[in-house]
Amino acid sequence: MKKLILLSALIAAMSITACSEVGSTESSTVDTAAEITESTEAAEETTVDEEKPTDAVHDIQSEDEFEYEVTDGYSVITGYLGDSPQVEVPSEIGGAAVLKIGAYAFEAEYDITSVTLPDTVTVIGEGAFMDCSSLQSINIPESVVGIDRGAFVACTSLTEITIPASVIYVTEEAFTACESLTSLTIENPNLAYENWGLEDLPNLTIYAPDGWLESAGLA
């Protein structure tokens, strides 16, 4: 009888110890999970606090038919607000000379048929006239030194264009998909060809200084 009582007491003691250990393990696990959660939340808060805005702040203004930005004492045309199919870009806006047609400034202005640029413009920006599918004529003044990537992509009604001797670079895809372009005049014998998209325009005739076509790989 005493043996049974001792055995029962021993079993009971072992059960209490086991339960205590399980409870201790569960408590430890919960505490650890809480610590990880708190640590993660703290890290997220730190990351958010440390994030800095990377986009430059642009002060876009409007006057007459144009959006523009004045920077470093000159104006950049950034958008067109008018509805006339014949566009004449001013030589001055916002009290500063217009030196650049900004990136995508006239993109997808489907109704524009002609553009006149002033002789203050030095750069025609990336995609500036992209998808102007009704654009038939545009001048490039002798003040222009550069034409950026894709400036005239998909100007499907443009038939001729002259790149003056002042232009020292024209970057890739400048005339890609200008399927109606039949005449392109190059006046700078040292102007490098950088995949302007001319290879896919079978009806195009290029007028250039002697040796230019050969150096460009278009002969």
Side-chain angles (χ1 to χ4, degrees):
M1 185 66 177
K2 289 182 180 180
K3 290 181 179 181
L4 289 175
I5 292 172
L6 290 173
L7 181 59
S8 297
L10 180 59
I11 292 172
M14 291 175 63
S15 298
I16 292 171
T17 301
C19 289
S20 176
E21 291 176 354
V22 169
S24 176
T25 301
E26 290 177 347
S27 176
S28 176
T29 301
V30 170
D31 290 343
T32 301
E35 290 174 359
I36 293 173
T37 300
E38 291 175 358
S39 176
T40 302
E41 290 175 348
E44 289 176 346
E45 290 176 359
T46 300
T47 300
V48 170
D49 290 340
E50 290 178 352
E51 287 181 351
K52 304 291 185 183
T54 56
D55 294 333
V57 177
H58 295 279
D59 182 18
I60 304 301
Q61 305 175 59
S62 62
E63 183 177 312
D64 297 329
E65 300 178 326
F66 302 94
E67 288 184 336
Y68 67 94
E69 179 183 14
V70 176
T71 178
D72 296 330
Y74 64 87
S75 289
V76 178
I77 299 296
T78 59
Y80 180 60
L81 305 174
D83 54 12
S84 173
Q86 289 86 37
V87 177
E88 185 170 348
V89 177
S91 60
E92 183 179 302
I93 195 169
V98 175
L99 263 65
K100 182 176 181 179
I101 306 300
Y104 307 101
F106 291 87
E107 180 187 10
E109 292 288 347
Y110 302 117
D111 297 328
I112 292 177
T113 58
S114 68
V115 174
T116 302
L117 299 177
D119 59 8
T120 56
V121 171
T122 60
V123 175
I124 298 174
E126 179 175 345
F129 296 95
M130 177 183 288
D131 290 327
C132 288
S133 56
S134 297
L135 180 64
Q136 299 172 19
S137 65
I138 183 171
N139 69 308
I140 300 179
E142 294 184 358
S143 55
V144 172
V145 297
I147 299 173
D148 289 338
R149 179 180 180 181
F152 298 99
V153 166
C155 288
T156 53
S157 297
L158 189 64
T159 58
E160 60 180 317
I161 196 164
T162 295
I163 301 177
S166 60
V167 175
I168 59 175
Y169 74 86
V170 177
T171 50
E172 59 185 1
E173 301 176 355
F175 302 103
T176 295
C178 291
E179 56 191 34
S180 296
L181 193 64
T182 58
S183 175
L184 175 65
T185 301
I186 308 293
E187 295 184 346
N188 180 0
N190 299 314
L191 183 60
Y193 181 72
E194 298 182 25
N195 301 317
W196 303 347
L198 304 184
E199 298 88 346
D200 299 323
L201 307 177
N203 298 318
L204 176 65
T205 299
I206 301 174
Y207 301 93
D210 290 342
W212 190 89
L213 290 172
E214 289 78 7
S215 64
L218 297 171

